[in-house]
Amino acid sequence: MTSTRIRLPVPSAPSVAEGAGENPMPATPRASRRSSRLRGGPRAAVYVAAATTLPASVLLAVGIGSAGIGIIDVWQTVVAHLAGMPSPLSPLRDGIVWDIRLTRVLTAAAVGAALAVSGAVMQALTRNVLADPYLLGLSSGASVGAVAALMLGVAIMPTVAAFLGALAALTLTLLLARSLGPISPSRTILAGITVSAFGVAVTSFLIFWNVQGDSYREVLNWLMGSLAGSGWATVAVSWAVTAVIGIPLVLGARVLDAFAFGDTAAASLGIHVTRARWIFLAVVALLTGMAVAVSGAIGFIGLVLPNAARLLVGFRHRLILPLCALAGATFMIWVDTGARTLFAPRELPVGIMTALVGAPIFALVLWRHRSRS
Amino acid sequence: MAVIAVALSGCNAVNPPGTAGSARATASPTSGVVSQVFDSTSADSAATSDAAATGYPITVQNCGFAVTVDHRPDRILAIKSTSLELLLALGLADRVVGAAFLDGPVPAQWRDAASSIPVISTGAPSNEPVLGLDPDLIIAGWESNLAPDTAGDRGRLAAAGIASYVSPAACRGASQPKKLTFPMLFSEFEEVGRLLGVREAATALVAQQQEELAAVPKLDRRVTALWWSSGSDTPYVGGGIGAPEMVMNAVGLENIAAGVDQTWTSLGWESIIEDDPDVIILVDASWSSASKKMRLLEQNPATARLTAVREHRFVTIPFPASEAGVRSVDAARDIARQLAALGFGSR
């Protein structure tokens, strides 16, 4: 397991210690040596750009759709609702803007932010740049929970069931990875793939067993990810979970930095490593569970955006996490806008779009850090 | 109405090498042989004896697959409601050894006849249970019912002596009808009648359905409609080329999804609201009931403002009648009746 490794500029990819002892600790994060990292003014510019792009994206995306409603009318409608004034549009078109497009765009933003932040946290905790809620089995675990709740009529909310499923899958992945020897990136990925495959099989079985007639269509959309079911309820759930979890995460970002140097280093900084790890993992499971319950299994966002963010602002999580949230939200809004409009009036499951857009971006990320030896 | 010109699409054309591409089915048993002449022997025997028992072997092109039936099928397996109901309408219940993957209850007029037919699977049956039934013909409602992971690959079934036939309306790929019409559907009934040696019954069935279809009242003005089958986040609706479009046309409804070149399609809520259909046709299935769909429409603030929802202009139709088959004409009559009850005038 020592010959192949991915040289990425994060405190990961242990070069010496992998498989040789516990808690491999890279001496210095490679990250600091990269010249592409931005500092000072340029770095601030990145945040200003990200922070302005997100609201601009919301405003533009609500103006795009198969019903040809002028963008000025759309904005006037939104303002009218916010100000409690009568809408300038007909009731039907008003419903399209306020209840359909806006709820969908806002839900997409929260889901994108949650998935990107989940990916960043997973990558720090496992010291593995390839960690991602999708790859480590969380998404498939959440799917099992949500599908079981929906299909078998288990009397709990899909969000709660998805959270429990994600937590169970994550626990299984980490237990399996640890039972194979000291936790290493490759072992964690292999364990994640194993758990993920099992979860996918259970989900498929539940669906196969319960689907009748043409109802598989609905499930198909759901498995491939779709934000079409958005409404004010999903806006409330997704924003509440993302905010309640995201803000403490940013505040506790220094702990994640410590994890990046290894458990021993983290412990020496006075962090209760085991407890902190489980808290973070539970938090990620909750974020992923919410995202899956609201929109189905959507891959690649948690993988691509943290890596892209790290390229720009380095490895400190106080910097990475807010950028991931902003960029993830913006990315998801545009990918979902593409999913609902490119083939209008037909719709494409958004998970297909995130993979189509995300895979080439990730290939580019990998290529930029190709081995130069 | 003795002679029906059969406008055959590529998938269900009778394929005797010696005859021209178009086939004619007639009410008269003695002249009906034109449609399945293959060699002089079978033509002679068909012309001189009871047409119900002879005329075999018959070869037809079915969804791009050459099906040969070499004797009168007596052990038929019907997959999907449309297949079973066509056989029942042709009075063949005693020759059906099994049914599978039924979408809903059989209509009352055939319930007695169907009661003795065993249902071998609630979903698409797999190969072994099908072989165990020892059928000589499988009639399937979907092409996917005849695949290696379901009842079996058509070529391998044929090698095992089991002929297979898919409703031509459900052909996919090159054999998919460009736009399904009632004449195409009726030609399917005729073709099945020939394959099963019950041409008179098929001709009588078609004549009766044509009469009923002609009597369906048409709306006297432009009325737009949405045909919603399933799916809630993204509705799965009748598109522009399949049975829903055919049935809506028959009553004079204008399908808001007519522009989509698909039998069924996923349609976003936004375009549905933008088109604001006058009427919504709700398919009633055990897995997606009409009342559930009605509730969803009324709960979502955006769809609650649709004209059809505000004025409660809903038409419901059972799922088995929403697929192309022997209940399609009935579906049109049923919809016309419900439209009249909603106050729509007809001419």
Side-chain angles (χ1 to χ4, degrees):
Chain A
M1 297 297 276
T2 53
S3 58
T4 54
R5 56 174 193 271
I6 296 161
R7 290 160 56 98
L8 288 179
V10 275
S12 86
S15 51
V16 211
E18 181 167 336
E22 66 170 42
N23 303 329
M25 187 179 72
T28 49
R30 283 157 214 262
S32 55
R33 289 195 248 120
R34 271 271 173 252
S35 56
S36 60
R37 200 111 319 112
L38 303 175
R39 307 205 153 272
R43 188 163 76 193
V46 167
Y47 286 93
V48 172
T52 48
T53 307
L54 176 57
S57 297
V58 172
L59 287 177
L60 285 177
V62 287
I64 301 173
S66 54
I69 308 175
I71 188 110
I72 302 298
D73 286 341
V74 169
W75 292 343
Q76 281 178 348
T77 305
V78 174
V79 170
H81 273 275
L82 293 176
M85 294 186 304
S87 168
L89 291 175
S90 72
L92 277 179
R93 294 188 145 215
D94 175 70
I96 288 178
V97 171
W98 184 254
D99 294 310
I100 292 190
R101 284 194 199 162
L102 187 61
T103 58
R104 185 160 176 168
V105 167
L106 292 178
T107 306
V111 165
L115 288 175
V117 167
S118 297
V121 175
M122 298 283 301
Q123 288 165 18
L125 291 179
T126 61
R127 254 167 293 141
N128 181 352
V129 285
L130 296 178
D132 152 55
Y134 205 71
L135 271 182
L136 292 198
L138 273 83
S139 298
S140 75
S143 298
V144 171
V147 169
L150 289 171
M151 295 236 157
L152 306 179
V154 181
I156 44 175
M157 278 170 58
T159 310
V160 177
F163 162 66
L164 294 176
L167 198 60
L170 183 58
T171 310
L172 275 178
T173 296
L174 294 176
L175 287 179
L176 180 59
R178 198 154 62 186
S179 72
L180 302 173
I183 286 196
S184 69
S186 37
R187 285 194 188 105
T188 314
I189 293 287
L190 287 174
I193 289 171
T194 310
V195 170
S196 185
F198 185 74
V200 168
V202 173
T203 309
S204 303
F205 176 79
L206 287 173
I207 290 167
F208 175 81
W209 205 245
N210 287 286
V211 161
Q212 285 175 293
D214 59 354
S215 61
Y216 71 94
R217 283 272 162 188
E218 191 163 4
V219 176
L220 204 63
N221 266 353
W222 199 85
L223 273 188
M224 292 194 280
S226 170
L227 286 151
S230 303
W232 287 108
T234 62
V235 173
V237 168
S238 59
W239 279 79
V241 171
T242 305
V244 164
I245 287 181
I247 291 166
L249 265 182
V250 174
L251 296 178
R254 285 184 45 129
V255 180
L256 286 175
D257 293 343
F259 267 106
F261 286 91
D263 290 2
T264 319
S268 72
L269 291 173
I271 294 165
H272 192 308
V273 174
T274 311
R275 191 173 63 199
R277 170 173 277 127
W278 279 108
I279 290 174
F280 276 113
L281 290 178
V283 152
V284 172
L286 190 55
L287 277 180
T288 307
M290 177 278 291
V292 169
V294 163
S295 61
I298 298 175
F300 271 99
I301 292 203
L303 186 58
V304 172
L305 287 163
N307 280 299
R310 230 176 263 119
L311 274 180
L312 286 173
V313 299
F315 71 100
R316 278 155 68 197
H317 288 87
R318 192 171 48 80
L319 298 174
I320 292 176
L321 294 184
L323 187 59
C324 275
L326 292 171
T330 306
F331 182 79
M332 194 68 180
I333 286 174
W334 286 111
V335 170
D336 184 55
T337 302
R340 70 185 164 89
T341 55
L342 283 181
F343 303 97
R346 303 181 62 191
E347 282 210 18
L348 201 65
V350 71
I352 295 177
M353 293 283 294
T354 57
L356 283 178
V357 177
I361 294 179
F362 191 64
L364 197 67
V365 170
L366 289 175
W367 181 79
R368 274 184 57 109
H369 296 95
R370 63 195 179 278
S371 172
R372 296 199 170 94
S373 57
Chain B
M1 214 53 223
V3 178
I4 298 113
V6 184
L8 290 163
S9 66
C11 64
N12 57 354
V14 175
N15 181 37
T19 62
S22 76
R24 251 164 229 291
T26 74
S28 150
T30 48
S31 61
V33 287
V34 219
S35 57
Q36 57 256 33
V37 179
F38 297 102
D39 50 61
S40 54
T41 330
S42 66
D44 288 345
S45 61
T48 51
S49 59
D50 179 10
T54 58
Y56 299 101
I58 302 172
T59 298
V60 297
Q61 283 297 322
N62 177 245
C63 296
F65 188 85
V67 178
T68 301
V69 175
D70 51 15
H71 63 274
R72 194 187 84 156
D74 282 321
R75 298 185 56 80
I76 307 167
L77 168 64
I79 306 180
K80 297 271 302 170
S81 288
T82 47
S83 309
L84 177 64
E85 288 165 6
L86 175 57
L87 295 168
L88 294 171
L90 291 171
L92 297 175
D94 55 342
R95 286 161 62 185
V96 180
V97 291
F101 205 1
L102 301 182
D103 303 300
V106 169
Q109 75 258 37
W110 301 317
R111 207 156 290 160
D112 283 348
S115 59
S116 58
I117 298 171
V119 177
I120 64 162
S121 166
T122 53
S126 62
N127 189 235
E128 275 203 25
V130 167
L131 294 180
L133 205 61
D134 192 24
D136 49 16
L137 173 68
I138 302 173
I139 298 193
W142 288 347
E143 255 191 299
S144 62
N145 302 148
L146 298 170
D149 62 334
T150 51
D153 172 74
R154 298 186 74 178
R156 295 181 68 164
L157 287 171
I162 304 172
S164 60
Y165 184 87
V166 176
S167 166
C171 290
R172 310 302 299 259
S175 304
Q176 184 171 21
K178 297 280 171 287
K179 183 166 173 152
L180 187 66
T181 61
F182 275 106
M184 282 183 202
L185 190 61
F186 295 155
S187 78
E188 172 190 337
F189 302 166
E190 300 266 1
E191 189 170 68
V192 171
R194 284 197 300 278
L195 287 174
L196 299 180
V198 288
R199 255 176 286 159
E200 293 102 305
T203 308
L205 174 70
V206 169
Q208 184 203 340
Q209 294 225 335
Q210 280 172 325
E211 204 175 299
E212 289 173 0
L213 181 63
V216 170
K218 290 213 171 208
L219 293 164
D220 58 4
R221 61 183 176 93
R222 179 174 177 269
V223 179
T224 57
L226 170 75
W227 184 298
W228 181 11
S229 182
S230 66
S232 48
D233 293 351
T234 310
Y236 194 51
V237 309
I241 64 167
E245 174 75 12
M246 174 181 80
V247 171
M248 282 190 268
N249 280 345
V251 296
L253 282 172
E254 187 182 315
N255 182 5
I256 63 165
V260 182
D261 262 0
Q262 303 250 331
T263 305
W264 298 98
T265 184
S266 301
L267 199 64
W269 279 119
E270 178 164 333
S271 57
I272 293 170
I273 294 171
E274 176 73 356
D275 286 333
D276 193 21
D278 297 312
V279 178
I280 298 178
I281 298 170
L282 302 170
V283 174
D284 194 28
S286 57
W287 56 89
S288 174
S289 70
S291 56
K292 177 190 139 191
K293 289 190 272 260
M294 243 180 258
R295 209 165 47 240
L296 285 169
L297 286 169
E298 281 158 359
Q299 279 170 354
N300 183 325
T303 52
R305 293 176 195 162
L306 286 167
T307 309
V309 180
R310 272 189 292 114
E311 310 200 356
H312 211 76
R313 289 199 209 126
F314 298 119
V315 168
T316 61
I317 180 165
F319 181 85
S322 75
E323 296 203 290
V326 75
R327 283 166 81 178
S328 294
V329 169
D330 213 34
R333 280 202 302 185
D334 191 9
I335 290 173
R337 224 175 2 242
Q338 295 186 51
L339 287 173
L342 289 171
F344 288 99
S346 58
R347 53 183 163 81

